[in-house]
Amino acid sequence: MSIVAKRVLVTGGAGFLGSHLCERLVAQGDDVLCVDNYFTGRKDNVAHLLGEAHFEALRHDITHPLFVEVDEIYNLACPASPIHYQFDPVQTTKTSVIGAINMLGLAKRLKAKIFQASTSEVYGDPSLHPQPEGYRGNVNPIGPRACYDEGKRCAETLFFDYFRQHNLKIRVARVVSNFIVQALKGAPLTLYGDGSQTRAFCFVDDLIEAVLRLMAAPDHATGPLNLGNPQETSVAELAELVIALTGSRSPITRRPLPVDDPAQRCPDITEATALLAWQPTTPLTDGLTRTIAYFDRLLGNRIGGTASTVAVAA
Ligand SMILES: NC(=O)c1ccc[n+]([C@@H]2O[C@H](COP(=O)([O-])OP(=O)(O)OC[C@H]3O[C@@H](n4cnc5c(N)ncnc54)[C@H](O)[C@@H]3O)[C@@H](O)[C@H]2O)c1
């Protein structure tokens, strides 16, 4: 380990992925600044890190400029599930687009390497399956999911324009995919449509490992790179599994399929495997068991807290 710790900014650091990333970065000896406006994230997610000498948290909304000195930036700030990103769609687009502009501007000034948490939602409702990175997607630009999908697409555009125009060191990952909390609360699990739509679920530790490897990869490895688990599971199967693993007596309630809900979602991770010598190693059942334990602890701390529906996200 170098004597001088690397200074790393994590936006959205109090969120689900961000807090796990902060934990890994602190553990590897980095000096971590977590920035979050706590819209969906929680101080509880990073409370255990606050006593660490190399961790600090700042309440800040990335749609406003930020002036700090760091060596690397991980841009994760953005609500990730439909319920949350559709709550204030204008703010979602602002977070993705203006947030990206602010973080890229900061990276340019500091000559810092910058990572973007993009999403497989950029593929929309795909007509190609599974989706390789070269697939350009099938997104409705005016639908209720567009604030997120198009926001993230525009953020990718900005990242690649800063790369071409300003030689910035960029990394763009398209993260693939969540449900558990309702079952833990014994609340009805909401299933949209007939539940036959598929998603691919990756355990958080596997994903963070890939994110760190991508950041450490040579600078020509800009991405976009699909990061996720290529094992496809129908949403109905997942609901049954979550109920079985939580021992919940939650009933399943059905709601109509939301507009533009993708029928299939499965990343092609061939490129990630070749580039990063990585693939997810945690089977779905193990990953779910550990994720359930995580949310159980969180909910135990604050029953009825803000982590309400974790609907099927990107
Ligand atoms: N979890 C997934 O399955 C998934 C899939 C694809 C992409 N992603 C992307 O990964 C990132 C993290 O996702 P997550 O699952 O941890 O979601 P999350 O909602 O748990 O975390 C997002 C964090 O960003 C913060 N935030 C939102 N708007 C902000 C703003 N304007 N300024 C500062 N902070 C803000 C929230 O408070 C929260 O802490 C997101 O960018 C998301 O789009 C996640």
Side-chain angles (χ1 to χ4, degrees):
M1 196 197 304
S2 65
I3 297 167
V4 181
K6 203 166 43 183
R7 300 160 304 172
V8 183
L9 164 62
V10 180
T11 76
F16 179 62
L17 297 180
S19 56
H20 283 87
L21 178 62
C22 287
E23 234 171 58
R24 281 288 300 268
L25 294 168
V26 168
Q28 70 182 31
D30 293 335
D31 200 35
V32 177
L33 172 60
C34 161
V35 162
D36 207 296
N37 69 350
Y38 304 111
F39 172 50
T40 53
R42 304 162 57 160
K43 288 182 180 172
D44 294 352
N45 288 347
V46 290
H48 62 294
L49 294 171
L50 288 173
E52 299 279 345
H54 290 279
F55 178 83
E56 74 189 288
L58 173 69
R59 180 193 289 270
H60 175 80
D61 183 323
I62 63 157
T63 61
H64 300 287
L66 178 68
F67 298 97
V68 291
E69 305 300 314
V70 291
D71 305 303
E72 286 184 357
I73 302 171
Y74 289 85
N75 188 34
L76 272 62
C78 188
S81 67
I83 274 190
H84 294 128
Y85 68 65
Q86 289 171 4
F87 172 74
D88 184 349
V90 173
Q91 171 67 9
T92 300
T93 304
K94 281 185 180 170
T95 295
S96 284
V97 178
I98 302 176
I101 290 172
N102 285 331
M103 289 307 118
L104 286 161
L106 181 65
K108 181 179 165 220
R109 177 173 72 78
L110 301 171
K111 297 189 173 37
K113 199 192 298 186
I114 181 165
F115 170 93
Q116 167 70 355
S118 189
T119 168
S120 56
E121 285 278 313
V122 299
Y123 300 127
D125 190 3
S127 49
L128 185 66
H129 194 74
Q131 298 87 46
E133 288 83 350
Y135 177 59
R136 293 182 187 176
N138 176 29
V139 174
N140 175 0
I142 57 167
R145 300 174 81 99
C147 57
Y148 185 69
D149 302 7
E150 297 289 17
K152 289 284 187 180
R153 285 170 71 94
C154 184
E156 286 200 13
T157 307
L158 285 160
F159 267 70
F160 279 86
D161 281 336
Y162 267 79
F163 168 67
R164 284 183 289 259
Q165 198 175 332
H166 301 298
N167 246 335
L168 216 64
K169 294 177 184 164
I170 61 158
R171 305 285 188 278
V172 176
R174 293 179 178 157
V175 181
V176 189
S177 268
N178 316 245
F179 211 19
I180 293 160
V181 176
Q182 286 166 311
L184 289 173
K185 285 181 172 174
L189 251 80
T190 316
L191 203 60
Y192 296 94
D194 65 2
S196 63
Q197 66 272 38
T198 64
R199 298 293 185 270
F201 300 93
C202 185
F203 184 54
V204 62
D205 289 3
D206 284 339
L207 183 76
I208 299 298
E209 179 62 33
V211 167
L212 292 171
R213 286 187 193 206
L214 176 57
M215 198 61 155
D219 285 338
H220 62 80
T222 59
L225 203 61
N226 287 334
L227 297 183
N229 193 327
Q231 185 196 336
E232 210 177 335
T233 310
S234 81
V235 172
E237 273 170 341
L238 187 81
E240 300 290 352
L241 197 55
V242 168
I243 287 177
L245 290 172
T246 52
S248 169
R249 300 229 293 268
S250 291
I252 292 181
T253 57
R254 293 184 184 271
R255 295 243 187 97
L257 202 61
V259 179
D260 297 333
D261 196 64
Q264 282 182 310
R265 175 57 52 70
C266 181
D268 178 337
I269 62 159
T270 314
E271 262 196 56
T273 304
L275 182 70
L276 309 177
W278 168 87
Q279 55 187 20
T281 54
T282 315
L284 181 64
T285 311
D286 292 8
L288 271 180
T289 306
R290 290 161 69 182
T291 308
I292 287 165
Y294 168 85
F295 279 112
D296 211 7
R297 273 197 308 279
L298 274 189
L299 290 173
N301 289 341
R302 278 180 50 171
I303 299 266
T306 52
S308 55
T309 312
V310 183
V312 175

